């Protein structure tokens, strides 16, 4: 008989309507647990109870600590984390970067509140519990389970604001077919990083987006304000307009790491163009983010810097996880 720990952090799955005041996370983790899991037992406890749009890096560290403690318990076979969908992809990726155990950790949530007549939360929890208990998913790292699909944390992103199949990207590792869990792939695993320390909480990494007519003043501003790193969400395969290459060179010279990402939903960063494009940005010191989107790249960057990665070591350390 498998034993699963469910850790609640809030989100839509735990929210109920307050009329004109909107939906607010109020339900405890215990309220999300059913008794209909067959031979799988589930123990629930709360870590947080808030909307994921309110989370900071310190909250993500607190969730990571709770997951690590749960995984370390000998009688635990897997962990489910209920979480808001807004920033689930960031928390899931952080947990995946840290995860060294073969025990599955599965994040899930809901698109409709707990008091909605057609809330999707209960079914998602049932599927997540099944995934966390599945022998076939051991060694798969941290996963996101939504609308009957289980995918890797790495590369996952919320792709629709309201649809029940809220997530795309990553590697689809399994799906639910009736009462069966069908495993279809095994995601690549990377060397686990150490647990974040309190330094992670205040490691400032900003995201600056490129667009037609964008100027580098915002990038320059966040560097002056103390950003330890900047993720530049470039256009296309990783480009930005006039002045950005010079701003990147100046930022890197000041000891502020710059990661070059893309605002495109799919595909890697491949520096290709000159005249201020990706070739020039990389030559100025920007580190291409590969297949990581800007927001997961930000999590990796903050974790590396908070662990004391020096500017001269950053590119190689970052590249290890591409």
């Amino acid at each position: 008989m498998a034993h699963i720990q469910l850790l609640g952090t809030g989100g839509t799955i735990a929210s109920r309507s307050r009329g004109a005041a909107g939906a607010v996370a109020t339900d405890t983790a215990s309220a999300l647990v059913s008794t209909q899991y067959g031979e799988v037992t589930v123990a629930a406890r709360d870590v947080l109870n808030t909307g994921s749009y309110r989370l900071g890096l310190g909250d993500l560290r607190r969730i990571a600590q709770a997951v690590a403690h749960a995984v370390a318990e000998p009688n635990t076979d897997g962990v489910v984390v209920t979480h808001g969908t807004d920033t689930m992809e960031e928390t899931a990726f952080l947990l995946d970067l840290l995860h060294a155990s073969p025990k599955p950790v599965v994040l899930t949530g809901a698109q409709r509140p707990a008091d909605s007549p057609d809330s999707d939360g209960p079914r998602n929890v049932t599927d997540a519990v099944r995934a966390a208990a599945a022998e076939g998913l051991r060694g798969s790292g941290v996963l996101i389970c939504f609308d009957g699909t289980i995918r890797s944390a790495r590369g996952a992103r919320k792709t629709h604001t309201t649809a029940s199949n809220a997530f795309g990207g990553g590697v689809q590792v399994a799906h639910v077919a009736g009462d069966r869990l069908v495993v279809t792939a095994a995601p690549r695993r990377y060397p686990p990083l150490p647990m974040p320390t309190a330094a992670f909480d205040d490691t400032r990494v900003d995201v600056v987006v490129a667009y037609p007519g964008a100027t580098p003043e915002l990038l320059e501003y966040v560097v002056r304000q103390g950003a330890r790193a900047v993720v530049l969400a470039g256009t296309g395969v990783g480009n930005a307009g006039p002045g950005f290459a010079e701003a990147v060179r100046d930022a890197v010279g000041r000891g502020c790491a710059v990661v070059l990402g893309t605002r495109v939903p799919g595909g890697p960063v491949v520096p290709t163009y000159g005249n201020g494009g990706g070739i020039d940005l990389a030559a100025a010191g920007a580190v291409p983010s590969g297949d990581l989107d800007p927001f997961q790249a930000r999590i990796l960057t903050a974790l590396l810097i908070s662990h004391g990665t020096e500017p001269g070591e950053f590119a190689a350390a970052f590249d290890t996880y591409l």
Side-chain angles (χ1 to χ4, degrees), residues 195-209:
M195 285 291 293
T197 66
F200 179 71
D201 302 5
D202 300 315
T203 300
R204 179 171 175 176
V205 180
D206 288 303
V207 178
V208 174
V209 181

Side-chain angles (χ1 to χ4, degrees), residues 14 29 71 74 79 90 97 158 175 184 237:
V71 166
V79 176
E90 282 107 318
L97 289 169
K158 188 171 182 179
H175 62 270
T184 55
V237 290

Side-chain angles (χ1 to χ4, degrees), residues 77-158:
D77 297 292
V79 176
V80 171
V81 180
T82 55
H83 194 286
T85 59
D86 282 11
T87 61
M88 185 183 291
E89 61 207 63
E90 282 107 318
T91 300
F93 185 55
L94 174 64
L95 297 177
D96 195 54
L97 289 169
L98 306 173
H99 194 55
S101 169
K103 299 176 183 180
V105 174
V106 184
L107 279 75
T108 195
Q111 288 283 71
R112 296 180 290 278
D115 56 354
S116 172
D118 59 345
S119 177
D120 50 334
R123 184 181 64 179
N124 284 340
V125 169
T126 297
D127 291 344
V129 167
R130 183 178 296 163
E135 187 67 27
L137 290 180
R138 287 181 65 83
S140 296
V142 178
L143 308 168
I144 290 177
C145 176
F146 236 87
D147 199 37
T149 299
I150 298 94
R151 64 185 70 250
S152 64
R154 180 192 176 95
R157 64 192 308 173
K158 188 171 182 179

Side-chain angles (χ1 to χ4, degrees), residues 203-244:
T203 300
R204 179 171 175 176
V205 180
D206 288 303
V207 178
V208 174
V209 181
Y211 50 85
T215 60
E217 279 87 351
L218 183 56
L219 190 154
E220 295 164 348
Y221 173 79
V222 298
V223 173
R224 291 197 303 269
Q225 292 300 305
R228 300 288 304 280
V230 178
V231 178
L232 176 59
T235 57
V237 290
N239 301 298
F244 275 92

Side-chain angles (χ1 to χ4, degrees), residues 205-211 219 229-241 244-245 248 252 256-264 267-274 276-298 300-301 314-315 318-319 322:
V205 180
D206 288 303
V207 178
V208 174
V209 181
Y211 50 85
L219 190 154
V230 178
V231 178
L232 176 59
T235 57
V237 290
N239 301 298
F244 275 92
V248 167
V252 173
C256 176
V258 178
V259 174
L260 177 60
T262 175
R263 64 183 199 173
V264 179
V269 170
V270 185
T272 303
Y273 299 99
I279 291 289
D280 294 340
L281 294 168
V287 179
S289 67
D291 63 347
L292 291 179
D293 71 49
F295 307 104
Q296 292 194 341
R298 174 179 175 264
L300 173 58
T301 299
F314 177 78
F318 190 92
D319 193 61
L322 301 186

